[in-house]
Amino acid sequence: MDEHHLNILQLSNAEINRLQLLSVFFEEEVLYKIYLRSKVIHQLFENNPELDIDKLELFHVQFTSSLIALLKKIKKSNEKNVSLIDDEIYLNKEMIRKMSSHVYTEKNFNLDKQKQSLKINLSLRKLYQLLSDHSDEFPFSKNINTFSSRYSREFYKDITTAQLEVLLQYELKDLYIHQHASIQKKLMGLLCKYDFRTAFFYGLKAGDIVIEIYKFLDVETYFLFYPGRNLFILFDINKLEGMDWSNPISDKGRIVQELLYKNDKLTSKIAAIKTYIPEDILLLLKENYMKIDDISFLDHLNNFDVQANILKAMLKTDLF
């Protein structure tokens, strides 16, 4: 086997190895078939020195080299798109980090709800005692308004001023009036009946006005606490028709969740984008594979001119 023959076989091996790496990268069936078929063609010439070795070189020049160049161009374009997604994921992570460090977490909120419920129950029990004793002593637990001031912006649900007015409708004759608080008589009766066992249920806000909703633990009965007037009255949950009473999440917490979800979707897209090959190119590759899979392809090697020209034309486009 002369030096010219060996040199072409060596170059052929190098081309086929490059094609193998790209077929593994793109994980596309037709590419893997083309690689295997190219390997078979190479072996044919290697095992049969009497064949015209220049035809092997012509095969690679007309087809393999252009195909490799095109696949590299697609790969580079895909990598640019992946880089853009990586940048977006990074920026989202930075936003998540910054927002998470400045937002009260749901865990904090749920823990402090329990503390606030205890403060309200103790305050109402004391209010009952002060009303019974006709005492003007201050009934509320220390820092009872801290909870709303801390969490209302993030966790309380917005309602309209009109909705607020409906919720705050009551008759003065139905209230026990204390120097520091007012409470509906019927509500006080229920609190006594159920031993002041209530829990924070929801927070509402209309502009700067906040309202805390509490629920009796033993019955489906609710009341509201309006800190602005130190007012306690029964609350009809049906007055806010269509309200979503599911566990509240802070506005910033919701944004963080959305960003996390978006990053998950972007991450899952990266693998597909890395290995994406346009449909028109896949179709062309399938046509070429059918040609090189033909046992008599060497007799029609010049037929690759058209496909080779198409591949080369694609290399010159701005599609990638």
Side-chain angles (χ1 to χ4, degrees), residues 103-216:
V103 65
Y104 288 108
T105 65
E106 275 66 34
K107 183 177 180 181
N108 296 140
F109 178 60
N110 289 327
L111 286 173
D112 285 348
K113 277 197 304 186
Q114 299 174 28
K115 296 177 183 177
Q116 181 68 2
S117 298
L118 180 60
K119 286 182 180 181
I120 285 292
N121 290 335
L122 290 174
S123 298
L124 288 169
R125 193 183 291 273
K126 187 171 183 180
L127 178 59
Y128 168 72
Q129 189 63 48
L130 294 176
L131 287 168
S132 300
D133 296 342
H134 304 287
S135 171
D136 290 336
E137 188 180 341
F138 189 72
F140 292 106
S141 298
K142 185 179 179 181
N143 299 326
I144 197 166
N145 292 325
T146 301
F147 180 80
S148 282
S149 63
R150 177 176 295 169
Y151 292 108
S152 60
R153 183 174 180 181
E154 294 291 334
F155 290 91
Y156 285 23
K157 186 156 292 187
D158 288 304
I159 59 173
T160 66
T161 303
Q163 287 174 315
L164 178 66
E165 290 176 356
V166 172
L167 299 182
L168 294 179
Q169 289 178 356
Y170 59 90
E171 297 287 340
L172 278 175
K173 63 182 178 62
D174 295 330
L175 300 182
Y176 288 124
I177 307 296
H178 183 268
Q179 181 176 340
H180 300 289
S182 301
I183 185 168
Q184 207 167 29
K185 295 175 182 177
K186 185 177 179 181
L187 172 57
M188 182 60 84
L190 289 170
L191 288 166
C192 292
K193 179 179 179 180
Y194 292 106
D195 196 29
F196 297 88
R197 286 166 42 81
T198 74
F200 181 91
F201 174 68
Y202 227 83
L204 303 173
K205 59 181 178 179
D208 295 329
I209 300 175
V210 297
I211 291 178
E212 296 173 10
I213 309 297
Y214 291 83
K215 179 184 179 299
F216 283 84

Side-chain angles (χ1 to χ4, degrees), residues 52-67:
D52 183 0
I53 195 67
D54 290 328
K55 284 193 172 182
L56 177 61
E57 182 180 33
L58 180 61
F59 166 71
H60 287 309
V61 168
Q62 287 188 331
F63 178 68
T64 315
S65 297
S66 296
L67 174 59

Side-chain angles (χ1 to χ4, degrees), residues 96 99-100 251-261:
I96 290 168
M99 294 188 77
S100 296
D251 291 338
K252 289 182 181 177
R254 187 176 295 106
I255 293 172
V256 167
Q257 280 193 352
E258 290 172 356
L259 289 173
L260 287 170
Y261 176 70

